Amino acid sequence: MRDGLVTLRHELHADPEIGLELPRTRQKVLDALDGLPLEIRQGSSCTSVTAVLRGTHSDDDAPVVLLRADMDALPVHEEIDVAYRSRTDGVMHACGHDLHTAMLVGAARLLADRRDELAGDVVLMFQPGEENFDGARHMIDEGVLDAAGRPVTAAYGLHVFSADLEPGEFATRPGTLMSATDEVHVTITGRGGHGSMPHLAADPVPAVAELVTALQTMVTRRFDVFDPVVLTVGSLHAGTKANVVPETARLEATLRTFSAATRDRCLALVDELARGIATAHGVRADVEVVTLYPVTENDPDEAALLAATVATEFGPDRFRHLANPLACSEDFSKVLQHVPGCFAALGARPAALPAEAASYNHSAHAQFSDDVLPDGAALLAALALRRSTGRPDRART
């Protein structure tokens, strides 16, 4: 199956789409699934694909396993010269979602050939809009967790990494795997004026500058180092000319937290801090919180099952237990809020590329190896078989 999965991945990579509307990507997925014994439903609020595979021995009490792949690309201009390079300027599969999609198609084919071994049903979740478009919520709202006619029992997903992990290495951990992520947008409004007479104006620039420093101090002085907060101000804007006191100044920050309690407290403190500093400077702060993704929490039993399945399929040397959570985020976390499951990483750095030269996901220079496609497909299929049957000896693909 490898050559077919590579061809599909290259077709997806060369024709990337952003957001919730991925019509060309969806059609490629539908074409790749054509002929398989699947019950397919297309989304109405987004270009999602939900496919249900019924196990031969399934009944109303049988488990339902969900396997998920995200399909969207990023607004990044590709700088890697490969034969299947993106044909759309400024858009690139810089996070490896093209590999995820091809892997799930591969898992669908493997499982379709093994329906007699399935004691339950499998829901295949092809999701658009993972990159800050809340695609998982759209699919949950449209019923992906009940697509089989009864609730999903367990859910699994994989994410390729272009750096950090060794090629072909699977990694995860029980409990918190990835941080929650939110954005904070603060607009400081004062009163504009002439740069030579700031006392006749109400300058928002000193207030926003103080806020940047105060936010960093808040992180290190108000929160437990063992329940950390990562806050980065990525956008800061004010003014048009050196001799003009601007009317407004604005910052945008990304916030990463690793527990629900710290997330709520941090958002409240950011609001309190911004308004307090603004008041001290005689200006006004308007704080907008953009709530994105919650903490990605792996069920301990499902994480143990994934580790055991990797050992069975590929050998124990192909699995790494992550000592610490990752500060990146995932909207698969919204699935895991409803269903026990496990999300895992897969090292996809090309074997010929030295680790020190590898660019991380989201980079215009990120590179992912086709060699991991069969392994990702095999692991997803094996997880569904093992979780469905409860028989480790019948899980090999």
Side-chain angles (χ1 to χ4, degrees):
M1 234 175 33
R2 181 189 187 281
D3 290 348
L5 296 184
V6 170
T7 298
L8 175 60
R9 184 253 163 156
H10 289 185
E11 290 173 351
L12 292 165
H13 190 93
D15 190 18
E17 297 174 286
I18 293 174
L20 294 168
E21 295 300 317
L22 319 175
R24 300 187 305 278
T25 301
R26 177 168 66 178
Q27 190 57 53
K28 291 180 178 66
V29 169
L30 292 172
D31 290 344
L33 298 176
D34 188 43
L36 298 181
L38 301 170
E39 301 168 14
I40 294 179
R41 186 178 70 205
Q42 300 181 41
S44 57
S45 67
C46 61
T47 54
S48 63
V49 175
T50 300
V52 178
L53 177 67
R54 303 286 182 184
T56 301
H57 307 292
S58 180
D59 57 39
D60 291 343
D61 297 321
V64 177
V65 178
L66 182 145
L67 305 176
R68 179 268 204 163
D70 41 9
M71 305 187 293
D72 56 321
L74 284 159
V76 174
H77 185 77
E78 185 163 14
E79 298 294 344
I80 299 298
D81 188 14
V82 291
Y84 51 92
R85 180 174 177 164
S86 171
R87 297 192 296 266
T88 304
D89 288 344
V91 183
M92 175 191 176
H93 270 294
C95 204
H97 296 186
D98 50 335
L99 283 87
H100 303 165
T101 303
M103 288 173 183
L104 188 54
V105 167
R109 294 173 180 170
L110 287 168
L111 290 168
D113 285 343
R114 291 160 175 78
R115 292 178 70 192
D116 287 345
E117 299 179 46
L118 273 174
D121 300 332
V122 179
V123 176
L124 307 171
M125 178 181 178
F126 291 92
Q127 178 207 312
E130 190 278 330
E131 298 289 355
N132 288 358
F133 289 90
D134 213 4
R137 180 187 61 79
H138 281 265
M139 292 194 70
I140 291 170
D141 289 347
E142 291 194 344
V144 68
L145 301 182
D146 298 297
R150 56 192 189 280
V152 167
T153 308
Y156 305 98
L158 284 177
H159 203 301
V160 292
F161 279 24
S162 59
D164 288 352
L165 297 176
E166 290 302 307
E169 182 179 46
F170 296 93
T172 194
R173 68 192 307 274
T176 300
L177 174 68
M178 293 182 174
S179 68
T181 184
D182 301 288
E183 291 184 3
V184 179
H185 303 169
V186 181
T187 302
I188 306 292
T189 303
R191 186 174 64 255
H194 199 290
S196 66
M197 295 174 283
H199 60 291
L200 299 179
D203 194 348
V205 174
V208 78
E210 184 176 331
L211 179 58
V212 171
T213 302
L215 289 171
Q216 304 302 326
T217 303
M218 176 197 74
V219 167
T220 61
R221 289 296 177 267
R222 302 292 295 274
F223 293 95
D224 187 342
V225 67
F226 297 107
D227 188 7
V229 173
V230 179
L231 190 152
T232 297
V233 176
S235 177
L236 182 62
H237 295 278
T240 56
K241 288 183 66 67
N243 64 344
V244 176
V245 175
E247 190 86 11
T248 62
R250 179 176 172 85
L251 68 78
E252 296 183 3
T254 182
L255 178 68
R256 310 293 170 123
T257 51
F258 296 86
S259 70
T262 292
R263 183 189 195 190
D264 293 343
R265 180 167 172 255
C266 189
L267 291 171
L269 283 174
V270 169
D271 185 271
E272 178 184 313
L273 196 61
R275 297 183 193 282
I277 289 173
T279 298
H281 284 265
V283 293
R284 185 183 82 248
D286 294 300
V287 181
E288 177 191 4
V289 174
V290 181
T291 302
L292 296 174
Y293 302 150
V295 173
T296 302
E297 290 277 354
N298 281 339
D299 180 86
D301 291 338
E302 302 299 345
L305 177 65
L306 187 141
T309 304
V310 171
T312 299
E313 297 294 323
F314 308 105
D317 59 323
R318 292 279 297 276
F319 179 79
R320 182 199 295 187
H321 171 83
L322 296 174
N324 300 305
L326 306 170
C328 47
S329 301
E330 244 293 340
D331 74 348
F332 190 65
S333 57
K334 295 195 173 183
V335 173
L336 296 181
Q337 284 186 314
H338 297 274
V339 180
C342 184
F343 196 63
L346 171 57
R349 170 172 54 86
L353 181 67
E356 62 273 13
S359 297
Y360 201 73
N361 293 35
H362 288 213
S363 166
H365 299 274
Q367 299 182 60
F368 302 92
S369 172
D370 293 327
D371 292 340
V372 301
L373 292 172
D375 290 352
L379 180 65
L380 290 171
L383 284 167
L385 284 167
R386 180 175 286 215
R387 190 62 172 79
S388 168
T389 63
R391 291 277 305 280
D393 58 317
R394 295 180 64 191
R396 292 194 62 82
T397 58

